[in-house]
PDB file of all heavy atoms in Angstrom:
ATOM      1  N   SER B   9      -1.188  23.237  15.179  1.00 88.00           N
ATOM      2  CA  SER B   9      -2.635  23.004  15.215  1.00 88.00           C
ATOM      3  C   SER B   9      -3.105  22.372  13.921  1.00 88.00           C
ATOM      4  O   SER B   9      -3.917  21.440  13.926  1.00 88.00           O
ATOM      5  CB  SER B   9      -3.382  24.317  15.408  1.00 88.00           C
ATOM      6  OG  SER B   9      -3.210  24.790  16.693  1.00 88.00           O
ATOM      7  N   PHE B  16      -6.107  14.226  12.616  1.00 92.00           N
ATOM      8  CA  PHE B  16      -7.420  13.773  13.071  1.00 92.00           C
ATOM      9  C   PHE B  16      -8.374  13.566  11.913  1.00 92.00           C
ATOM     10  O   PHE B  16      -9.143  12.609  11.897  1.00 92.00           O
ATOM     11  CB  PHE B  16      -8.016  14.786  14.040  1.00 92.00           C
ATOM     12  CG  PHE B  16      -7.588  14.557  15.435  1.00 92.00           C
ATOM     13  CD1 PHE B  16      -6.920  15.529  16.141  1.00 92.00           C
ATOM     14  CD2 PHE B  16      -7.847  13.351  16.050  1.00 92.00           C
ATOM     15  CE1 PHE B  16      -6.508  15.308  17.438  1.00 92.00           C
ATOM     16  CE2 PHE B  16      -7.441  13.125  17.350  1.00 92.00           C
ATOM     17  CZ  PHE B  16      -6.771  14.118  18.039  1.00 92.00           C
ATOM     18  N   TRP B  81       2.613  18.882  21.601  1.00 89.00           N
ATOM     19  CA  TRP B  81       2.041  19.531  22.784  1.00 89.00           C
ATOM     20  C   TRP B  81       2.722  19.076  24.076  1.00 89.00           C
ATOM     21  O   TRP B  81       2.066  18.601  25.001  1.00 89.00           O
ATOM     22  CB  TRP B  81       0.530  19.237  22.854  1.00 89.00           C
ATOM     23  CG  TRP B  81      -0.129  19.387  21.536  1.00 89.00           C
ATOM     24  CD1 TRP B  81      -0.553  18.393  20.708  1.00 89.00           C
ATOM     25  CD2 TRP B  81      -0.415  20.619  20.855  1.00 89.00           C
ATOM     26  NE1 TRP B  81      -1.069  18.925  19.558  1.00 89.00           N
ATOM     27  CE2 TRP B  81      -1.005  20.287  19.622  1.00 89.00           C
ATOM     28  CE3 TRP B  81      -0.213  21.957  21.171  1.00 89.00           C
ATOM     29  CZ2 TRP B  81      -1.401  21.251  18.697  1.00 89.00           C
ATOM     30  CZ3 TRP B  81      -0.620  22.919  20.244  1.00 89.00           C
ATOM     31  CH2 TRP B  81      -1.196  22.555  19.034  1.00 89.00           C
ATOM     32  N   VAL B 143     -10.867   7.263  24.436  1.00 90.00           N
ATOM     33  CA  VAL B 143     -10.333   8.498  23.835  1.00 90.00           C
ATOM     34  C   VAL B 143     -11.272   9.652  24.083  1.00 90.00           C
ATOM     35  O   VAL B 143     -10.844  10.768  24.346  1.00 90.00           O
ATOM     36  CB  VAL B 143     -10.176   8.443  22.300  1.00 90.00           C
ATOM     37  CG1 VAL B 143      -8.856   8.996  21.896  1.00 90.00           C
ATOM     38  CG2 VAL B 143     -10.416   7.113  21.738  1.00 90.00           C
ATOM     39  N   ASN B 147     -10.947  13.565  25.476  1.00 91.00           N
ATOM     40  CA  ASN B 147     -11.397  14.793  24.825  1.00 91.00           C
ATOM     41  C   ASN B 147     -12.415  15.520  25.693  1.00 91.00           C
ATOM     42  O   ASN B 147     -12.365  16.742  25.847  1.00 91.00           O
ATOM     43  CB  ASN B 147     -11.981  14.477  23.448  1.00 91.00           C
ATOM     44  CG  ASN B 147     -12.220  15.737  22.649  1.00 91.00           C
ATOM     45  OD1 ASN B 147     -13.257  16.367  22.813  1.00 91.00           O
ATOM     46  ND2 ASN B 147     -11.273  16.123  21.833  1.00 91.00           N
ATOM     47  N   TRP B 372     -16.436  17.732  14.486  1.00 94.00           N
ATOM     48  CA  TRP B 372     -15.209  17.791  15.283  1.00 94.00           C
ATOM     49  C   TRP B 372     -14.576  19.166  15.212  1.00 94.00           C
ATOM     50  O   TRP B 372     -13.943  19.625  16.162  1.00 94.00           O
ATOM     51  CB  TRP B 372     -14.224  16.701  14.847  1.00 94.00           C
ATOM     52  CG  TRP B 372     -14.517  15.426  15.558  1.00 94.00           C
ATOM     53  CD1 TRP B 372     -15.105  14.316  15.028  1.00 94.00           C
ATOM     54  CD2 TRP B 372     -14.298  15.140  16.943  1.00 94.00           C
ATOM     55  NE1 TRP B 372     -15.248  13.357  15.992  1.00 94.00           N
ATOM     56  CE2 TRP B 372     -14.759  13.835  17.179  1.00 94.00           C
ATOM     57  CE3 TRP B 372     -13.762  15.857  18.002  1.00 94.00           C
ATOM     58  CZ2 TRP B 372     -14.699  13.237  18.436  1.00 94.00           C
ATOM     59  CZ3 TRP B 372     -13.701  15.253  19.250  1.00 94.00           C
ATOM     60  CH2 TRP B 372     -14.167  13.961  19.450  1.00 94.00           C
ATOM     61  N   GLU B 376     -13.482  21.205  18.445  1.00 91.00           N
ATOM     62  CA  GLU B 376     -12.079  21.510  18.708  1.00 91.00           C
ATOM     63  C   GLU B 376     -11.743  22.976  18.453  1.00 91.00           C
ATOM     64  O   GLU B 376     -11.033  23.585  19.247  1.00 91.00           O
ATOM     65  CB  GLU B 376     -11.187  20.601  17.862  1.00 91.00           C
ATOM     66  CG  GLU B 376     -11.353  19.135  18.181  1.00 91.00           C
ATOM     67  CD  GLU B 376     -10.809  18.764  19.536  1.00 91.00           C
ATOM     68  OE1 GLU B 376      -9.591  18.647  19.698  1.00 91.00           O
ATOM     69  OE2 GLU B 376     -11.628  18.600  20.446  1.00 91.00           O
ATOM     70  N   ARG B 379     -13.223  25.223  21.021  1.00 88.00           N
ATOM     71  CA  ARG B 379     -12.571  25.182  22.329  1.00 88.00           C
ATOM     72  C   ARG B 379     -11.440  26.196  22.429  1.00 88.00           C
ATOM     73  O   ARG B 379     -10.970  26.519  23.524  1.00 88.00           O
ATOM     74  CB  ARG B 379     -12.060  23.752  22.572  1.00 88.00           C
ATOM     75  CG  ARG B 379     -11.085  23.571  23.684  1.00 88.00           C
ATOM     76  CD  ARG B 379     -10.826  22.116  23.971  1.00 88.00           C
ATOM     77  NE  ARG B 379     -10.426  21.338  22.803  1.00 88.00           N
ATOM     78  CZ  ARG B 379      -9.226  21.373  22.251  1.00 88.00           C
ATOM     79  NH1 ARG B 379      -8.306  22.157  22.740  1.00 88.00           N
ATOM     80  NH2 ARG B 379      -8.960  20.628  21.193  1.00 88.00           N
ATOM     81  N   GLN B 380     -10.974  26.704  21.303  1.00 83.00           N
ATOM     82  CA  GLN B 380      -9.852  27.638  21.295  1.00 83.00           C
ATOM     83  C   GLN B 380     -10.182  28.867  22.138  1.00 83.00           C
ATOM     84  O   GLN B 380     -11.338  29.214  22.270  1.00 83.00           O
ATOM     85  CB  GLN B 380      -9.522  28.040  19.858  1.00 83.00           C
ATOM     86  CG  GLN B 380      -9.226  26.865  18.964  1.00 83.00           C
ATOM     87  CD  GLN B 380      -8.071  26.046  19.486  1.00 83.00           C
ATOM     88  OE1 GLN B 380      -7.051  26.563  19.882  1.00 83.00           O
ATOM     89  NE2 GLN B 380      -8.240  24.725  19.538  1.00 83.00           N
TER      90      GLN B 380
HETATM   91  C1  HEM C   2     -10.188  12.136  21.673  1.00 85.94           C
HETATM   92  C2  HEM C   2      -9.968  12.782  20.772  1.00 85.94           C
HETATM   93  C3  HEM C   2      -9.196  14.052  20.635  1.00 85.94           C
HETATM   94  C4  HEM C   2      -8.203  14.591  21.420  1.00 85.94           C
HETATM   95  C5  HEM C   2      -7.610  14.035  22.686  1.00 85.94           C
HETATM   96  C6  HEM C   2      -7.804  15.820  20.787  1.00 85.94           C
HETATM   97  C7  HEM C   2      -6.771  16.634  21.219  1.00 85.94           C
HETATM   98  C8  HEM C   2      -6.365  17.781  20.589  1.00 85.94           C
HETATM   99  C9  HEM C   2      -5.250  18.593  20.987  1.00 85.94           C
HETATM  100  C10 HEM C   2      -4.324  18.290  22.156  1.00 85.94           C
HETATM  101  C11 HEM C   2      -5.178  19.643  20.133  1.00 85.94           C
HETATM  102  C12 HEM C   2      -4.137  20.728  20.106  1.00 85.94           C
HETATM  103  C13 HEM C   2      -4.446  21.884  20.962  1.00 85.94           C
HETATM  104  C14 HEM C   2      -5.420  22.830  20.335  1.00 85.94           C
HETATM  105  O1  HEM C   2      -5.168  23.339  19.229  1.00 85.94           O
HETATM  106  O2  HEM C   2      -6.453  23.052  20.958  1.00 85.94           O
HETATM  107  C15 HEM C   2      -6.268  19.514  19.185  1.00 85.94           C
HETATM  108  C16 HEM C   2      -6.532  20.416  18.174  1.00 85.94           C
HETATM  109  C17 HEM C   2      -7.404  20.150  17.140  1.00 85.94           C
HETATM  110  N1  HEM C   2      -8.175  19.011  16.972  1.00 85.94           N
HETATM  111 FE1  HEM C   2      -8.489  17.625  18.396  1.00 85.94          FE
HETATM  112  N2  HEM C   2      -8.570  16.025  19.659  1.00 85.94           N
HETATM  113  C18 HEM C   2      -9.423  14.945  19.522  1.00 85.94           C
HETATM  114  C19 HEM C   2     -10.304  14.707  18.494  1.00 85.94           C
HETATM  115  C20 HEM C   2     -10.352  15.445  17.326  1.00 85.94           C
HETATM  116  C21 HEM C   2     -10.984  15.004  16.126  1.00 85.94           C
HETATM  117  C22 HEM C   2     -11.646  13.664  15.914  1.00 85.94           C
HETATM  118  C23 HEM C   2     -10.867  15.999  15.220  1.00 85.94           C
HETATM  119  C24 HEM C   2     -11.415  15.875  13.823  1.00 85.94           C
HETATM  120  C25 HEM C   2     -11.269  16.459  12.826  1.00 85.94           C
HETATM  121  C26 HEM C   2     -10.119  17.073  15.856  1.00 85.94           C
HETATM  122  C27 HEM C   2      -9.788  18.283  15.276  1.00 85.94           C
HETATM  123  C28 HEM C   2      -8.909  19.179  15.820  1.00 85.94           C
HETATM  124  C29 HEM C   2      -8.620  20.467  15.225  1.00 85.94           C
HETATM  125  C30 HEM C   2      -9.248  21.047  13.963  1.00 85.94           C
HETATM  126  C31 HEM C   2      -7.656  21.085  16.058  1.00 85.94           C
HETATM  127  C32 HEM C   2      -6.998  22.440  15.852  1.00 85.94           C
HETATM  128  C33 HEM C   2      -7.786  23.481  16.540  1.00 85.94           C
HETATM  129  C34 HEM C   2      -7.203  24.859  16.319  1.00 85.94           C
HETATM  130  O3  HEM C   2      -6.098  25.116  16.814  1.00 85.94           O
HETATM  131  O4  HEM C   2      -7.880  25.689  15.700  1.00 85.94           O
HETATM  132  N3  HEM C   2      -9.833  16.691  17.133  1.00 85.94           N
HETATM  133  N4  HEM C   2      -6.958  18.362  19.480  1.00 85.94           N
END
Side-chain angles (χ1 to χ4, degrees):
Chain B
S9 288
F16 273 121
W81 316 105
V143 225
N147 190 276
W372 274 106
E376 298 290 283
R379 166 171 53 76
Q380 304 302 315

